[in-house]
Amino acid sequence: MMMRALRRRINAWYARAGRALPWREPDCGPWGVFLSEVMAQQTPLARVEPIWRDWMQRWPTPAALAAAAPGDAVRAWGRLGYPRRALRLHEAATVMVERHGGDVPTTPAELLALPGVGAYTAAAVACFAFGIPEVVVDTNVRRVLARTVEGKAFPHLTLTRAETDLATRAMPAQRHTESSARDEANVWNVAVMELGALVCVARGPRCEECPVADLCAWNVAGRPAYEGPPRRGQAWHGTDRQVRGEILRRLREEHRPVPLTALDGAGPERAQVLRCLDSLVADGLVEPLGRNRFRLPA
DNA sequence: GATTCGTGGCT
DNA sequence: TAGCCAAGAAT
């Protein structure tokens, strides 16, 4: 039926147009895939690649990262954003050493138990690193299915049960553990994500280049505008996020403890700077030395 | 379920 | 220009 045609065409498109990303190379290994998936959370892949190469060279195994200071991970994270991910990556590497023999665990349940790993990342690593045909649902998959199948410009604000069910139905049928079915499922997962990232993008979709334009319910209906609750933007100016980011930027640049007076300018109000400093310490991203000096955690 | 959490490119 | 959005997770 329609799903089968969608899969066939999208998989064929991916074979032709998919990007040659380093973590897609056959010899990348589970650790490289794991790193790439955490780094890619809410982050465009173009920004991930240089940081990923840096980390892979510096910490080629979970044990190598676990042996480093967490602050080194935070510093090497640079400006990728959401720096708690760097800390959780370090924690996850420690768990891998202590409980999994220094390897990335192979089952979705074990992956889900790692810090910084949710439903998406667990499924993605299981699929892309170990060939387990999990249902991978990210923002790209949700948008492609919302358009092609449901005829809507955008999916719901939050992932719904109906969307997970739809993504499950979109997967090729699993006839036991037949290897060809597994392969098709694994290709489908990455191919549909790639279509969402390159063609079926949120704004300015390139339907002229889309391999399933004639099958797409949204395109066939004339690409009707989004109807639904307003998609709230993320506030930035004057927020704690901005101040936390500025504090961390200063600490990354200094390789010795930074006095509080050097952090004052991180925000317009001293009270906010102090509040953000507290929250960064609580998160484990900043280590206080006495009352007036701070550094990345050793 | 609704919020919070970075950063920067693109329209 | 100002807002939208990106291979989400944790609380």
Side-chain angles (χ1 to χ4, degrees):
Chain A
M1 42 187 278
M2 174 183 171
M3 280 303 181
R4 188 175 175 78
L6 276 178
R7 280 200 303 273
R8 193 165 39 228
R9 286 210 220 157
I10 291 175
N11 286 356
W13 168 86
Y14 176 73
R16 169 168 49 82
R19 291 168 290 184
L21 299 166
W23 48 86
R24 288 179 181 166
E25 296 300 319
D27 62 344
C28 173
W31 175 238
V33 173
F34 184 85
L35 270 186
S36 77
E37 291 300 341
V38 174
M39 289 181 172
Q41 292 166 2
Q42 293 286 284
T43 308
L45 295 193
R47 253 177 256 173
V48 167
E49 190 165 340
I51 306 292
W52 182 90
R53 291 186 184 281
D54 193 37
W55 279 52
M56 285 297 283
Q57 181 170 9
R58 189 167 177 183
W59 300 303
T61 64
L65 178 58
D72 288 342
V74 174
R75 182 170 282 116
W77 193 254
R79 308 176 69 80
L80 250 197
Y82 294 143
R84 286 185 290 196
R85 290 183 292 166
L87 225 43
R88 291 178 180 142
L89 233 19
H90 183 268
E91 294 168 12
T94 302
V95 173
M96 291 179 199
V97 168
E98 293 180 349
R99 305 182 49 138
H100 301 289
D103 293 322
V104 179
T106 59
T107 71
E110 290 170 319
L111 288 163
L112 197 54
L114 296 171
V117 176
Y120 163 77
T121 303
V125 173
C127 179
F128 304 140
F130 301 114
I132 301 171
E134 288 292 295
V135 181
V136 179
V137 187
D138 79 325
T139 187
N140 292 302
V141 175
R142 296 179 61 209
R143 188 174 54 252
V144 170
L145 293 179
R147 288 175 178 167
T148 57
V149 179
E150 298 184 345
K152 299 177 180 176
F154 291 102
H156 290 81
L157 269 25
T158 58
L159 179 64
T160 63
R161 176 61 193 272
E163 287 183 82
T164 302
D165 291 345
L166 174 57
T168 302
R169 276 183 275 120
M171 293 276 286
Q174 303 296 310
R175 289 190 292 273
H176 307 290
T177 55
E178 186 184 343
S179 65
S180 62
R182 279 207 308 276
D183 294 344
E184 189 187 352
N186 299 340
V187 173
W188 162 250
N189 276 330
V190 66
V192 65
M193 285 172 62
E194 189 80 334
L195 186 73
L198 297 183
V199 175
C200 193
V201 294
R203 287 181 299 177
R206 305 171 176 179
C207 300
E208 306 75 21
E209 307 175 19
C210 183
V212 293
D214 61 314
L215 300 175
C216 175
W218 182 60
N219 186 50
V220 169
R223 295 156 69 174
Y226 171 74
E227 292 179 22
R231 312 173 70 75
R232 280 186 51 199
Q234 307 153 342
W236 176 246
H237 290 288
T239 63
D240 284 3
R241 304 166 86 162
Q242 183 179 31
V243 174
R244 283 167 55 104
E246 178 60 23
I247 291 172
L248 271 190
R249 188 186 68 75
R250 295 176 183 215
L251 295 183
R252 278 198 310 265
E253 290 173 356
E254 285 297 332
H255 287 255
R256 39 182 80 241
V258 175
L260 182 56
T261 53
L263 298 175
D264 257 343
E269 295 180 10
R270 184 182 175 83
Q272 186 182 23
V273 173
L274 293 178
R275 181 175 72 241
C276 289
L277 216 32
D278 276 348
S279 73
L280 287 167
V281 170
D283 287 345
L285 282 164
V286 171
E287 186 174 271
L289 296 174
R291 196 73 203 99
N292 293 315
R293 295 192 309 155
F294 301 88
R295 67 178 181 190
L296 297 182

